[in-house]
Structure formats: structure tokens, C-alpha cells
Amino acid sequence: MGEAGEQGSPEELAARLRVRENRLRELHEELAALRLASDEARASREAGEEWVRRLEEERGRLKERIRTLEERLREGRRDREGYERRLGRLQRELERREAEISRRDDALRRREEELESLRREAGELVARKDRALQDALRRVVGLERDLEEREGEIQRLRREMEELGERLERERELRRRLAEPANRLRAGIELFNESGHLRTVASLSRTLGPPEVHVELEESGEPAVLLTFTWQGISWQTYTANPNPDVEEPRVYLKSAGEDLSGVETKPPNARLGPGGKVLLGL
């Protein structure tokens, strides 16, 4: 009874076996799970190592890229500095150009103002020239009229010149004749006979009788003719007759007269009164 109690019943053993089998099955399942987890961990580790390797490669590429970028950055900095210098030069050039443009704009405005002033002056000048042209045309018309009048005046002057030439020729001829004393005496007598003094002598002659007549030349370069009339030895008159053509009027005038011959030089007669009371040379 005691051994049977210690060994247990078959049911208990079967139950224990089932428990043990269940435990073994659980252990097998846990072992399989652990193996699976180990495989997964190994695969994950291998994948991680591959990922790390790829990361290392990517890091290397990134480092190379970074070095390239840094080199490009340094070059870019140098280029940027060059660009900045060029930009500075361009900005200064732009400022200079803007200042030049401003000066040119000012000059252009001044030039436009000068041009406008010149346009106004040109307009005023054209207006003045138009007025001057109109005045000149009026003067031309006036000058044409004056020219026509002058041409008429010239024709008249030519006629006068011809007449003066003829008169001058007559005067020359007269002077040639008057150069002879006898001709000068005759010319003076003719001049007296054509004057109004002939009537005065004729009136006295009707009262006092025929006078004695003495004709002579003055003592000068171109002498005048002196005609002295004496009535009955008591009354006398002396006339001057100048036949020179350039002598102004009166060419015949009473030079002297008197009622007493005392102190007066008397000269013998050499002329007489003829028909009509005219003086004739010779007795």
C-alpha cells in the first residue's frame, strides 16, 4: 500500500506525462520562437549591417559631396568677391553714368531752352526780314519811280547840258571876239543900246540937244565899256556896260553923273547917237 501510494496511480502518471509533454511542447515552441527571433535578429543585424555599410558609403559620398561643395563654396566665395568687386565697379560706373545722364539731361534742357529761344529769335528775325523785305520792295518801287523821274531829269539835264554847251560855245566865241578891243567896244555899245538907259539918254537929248559921246575900255583884265555923254559942256553921265558873259546883272548901270565939268577930264568924242537914239561907234 505504501509503495503504491508513493508510485502513484497511472492516471496521475499520465497526467504528469501530459503536463511534461505540454511543457516540452511549450519549450519546443519557445525554442522555435527563440530560433525564429534569433534568425530574425540575425537577419535584422545583417540588414542593419548592410544599412550601416550603405550609410557609411552614403556618408563617404556625402563627405566627398561636402568637400566638393566646400570647394565650390570657396570658389563661389572667390567668384562672389569678384562679382562683388565687379558689382561695385558697375555700381560706381552706374552712378557715374547716372550723373552723366543727369548732366546731359540738364544740358539737353538748356539746349532745348536755347533752341526755343533761337526759334523765337528766328521767328522775330524772319518777321523783321519780312518787314525789311516789304520796306525794300516799297523802296524799290519808289526807286523805280525815282529812276523814271531821274531819267526824265537826266533827259532834261542833257538838254540843258546841250543848251549850256551851245551857250558855252557861244560864250567862247564871244570871248574870242571880245579879246579884240574894237569888238569889245561894239559889244558894250550893243549891250547899252538894248538897256533901258538908252531912253534916259534920249530924253535928255530931246531937252539939251545931241550929246558928245566918248566910248572907251576900263583898265582891267576883262575891261567893261565906259560910255560918257556930255551935253553942251555942262552936264554929263558915264555908264558902264560889261559885255562879259559871266557878269551878274545889272550889266549896264550909271557909274557917275554931274552938272559941272570943272575938275573932270574931258575926252574927245569917238561915237555918236544914230537913228532911234542908238549909240554908234565913230563920228
Side-chain angles (χ1 to χ4, degrees):
M1 292 268 315
E3 290 177 2
E6 291 177 1
Q7 293 179 355
S9 63
E11 290 85 1
E12 292 178 356
L13 290 174
R16 290 179 180 177
L17 288 173
R18 285 193 298 273
V19 170
R20 185 175 292 177
E21 288 176 357
N22 290 333
R23 180 61 179 167
L24 288 173
R25 193 169 43 253
E26 290 177 358
L27 290 174
H28 282 297
E29 290 176 356
E30 289 179 1
L31 180 60
L34 289 173
R35 286 177 179 174
L36 181 60
S38 176
D39 292 338
E40 290 178 356
R42 187 183 301 109
S44 178
R45 186 186 63 187
E46 291 176 356
E49 290 176 353
E50 180 65 21
W51 184 68
V52 169
R53 184 181 61 78
R54 290 179 181 177
L55 287 178
E56 290 292 336
E57 292 177 356
E58 183 67 22
R59 185 179 66 177
R61 288 193 297 272
L62 288 175
K63 286 182 178 180
E64 184 65 26
R65 181 65 175 170
I66 288 170
R67 285 194 299 271
T68 302
L69 291 175
E70 288 176 348
E71 182 65 25
R72 289 182 179 179
L73 180 61
R74 285 191 295 272
E75 293 177 357
R77 286 175 181 172
R78 289 193 296 271
D79 293 340
R80 186 181 64 184
E81 291 174 356
Y83 292 151
E84 288 177 351
R85 288 192 295 272
R86 287 197 295 271
L87 181 60
R89 289 195 297 270
L90 289 174
Q91 287 177 345
R92 290 190 295 273
E93 181 67 18
L94 180 60
E95 292 174 356
R96 188 183 66 80
R97 293 291 179 87
E98 288 177 349
E100 181 68 21
I101 289 172
S102 178
R103 288 193 297 271
R104 291 191 177 184
D105 288 340
D106 294 338
L108 182 60
R109 283 193 297 272
R110 290 193 298 271
R111 185 65 59 83
E112 289 177 351
E113 293 174 356
E114 292 175 357
L115 184 59
E116 183 63 25
S117 177
L118 289 175
R119 287 196 188 100
R120 290 194 298 271
E121 292 178 359
E124 294 174 357
L125 181 60
V126 169
R128 288 197 299 271
K129 287 190 175 181
D130 288 339
R131 291 193 296 271
L133 180 60
Q134 294 298 325
D135 294 339
L137 290 175
R138 286 192 293 271
R139 287 197 297 272
V140 167
V141 173
L143 289 173
E144 288 177 349
R145 289 195 299 268
D146 291 343
L147 182 60
E148 293 175 356
E149 294 175 357
R150 294 291 177 85
E151 288 178 351
E153 184 70 16
I154 289 171
Q155 295 296 328
R156 185 182 63 80
L157 290 175
R158 284 177 179 172
R159 289 192 296 271
E160 290 182 358
M161 287 177 63
E162 291 175 357
E163 294 175 358
L164 289 174
E166 294 174 357
R167 185 185 302 173
L168 180 61
E169 186 62 28
R170 289 194 299 271
E171 289 181 0
R172 287 175 180 171
E173 181 63 25
L174 179 60
R175 287 181 183 276
R176 283 195 296 271
R177 289 191 297 106
L178 293 178
E180 295 293 332
N183 292 333
R184 182 173 287 273
L185 285 174
R186 292 188 184 91
I189 291 171
E190 290 176 2
L191 189 62
F192 178 82
N193 289 334
E194 294 173 356
S195 70
H197 297 286
L198 183 64
R199 291 191 297 273
T200 302
V201 172
S203 177
L204 289 174
S205 297
R206 284 193 296 272
T207 302
L208 301 176
E212 293 180 353
V213 183
H214 180 80
V215 181
E216 63 180 345
L217 297 176
E218 287 183 333
E219 295 180 359
S220 62
E222 291 184 343
V225 177
L226 298 178
L227 297 93
T228 301
F229 300 90
T230 305
W231 287 273
Q232 298 180 1
I234 55 175
S235 180
W236 58 274
Q237 288 183 346
T238 299
Y239 290 89
T240 298
N242 196 334
N244 292 323
D246 55 351
V247 175
E248 296 181 357
E249 296 293 342
R251 299 175 69 187
V252 180
Y253 57 90
L254 179 63
K255 182 178 181 181
S256 60
E259 299 295 334
D260 186 4
L261 291 176
S262 60
V264 177
E265 181 183 1
T266 59
K267 296 180 181 180
N270 58 358
R272 68 185 187 281
L273 294 181
K278 292 185 177 182
V279 178
L280 299 176
L281 187 62
L283 298 176

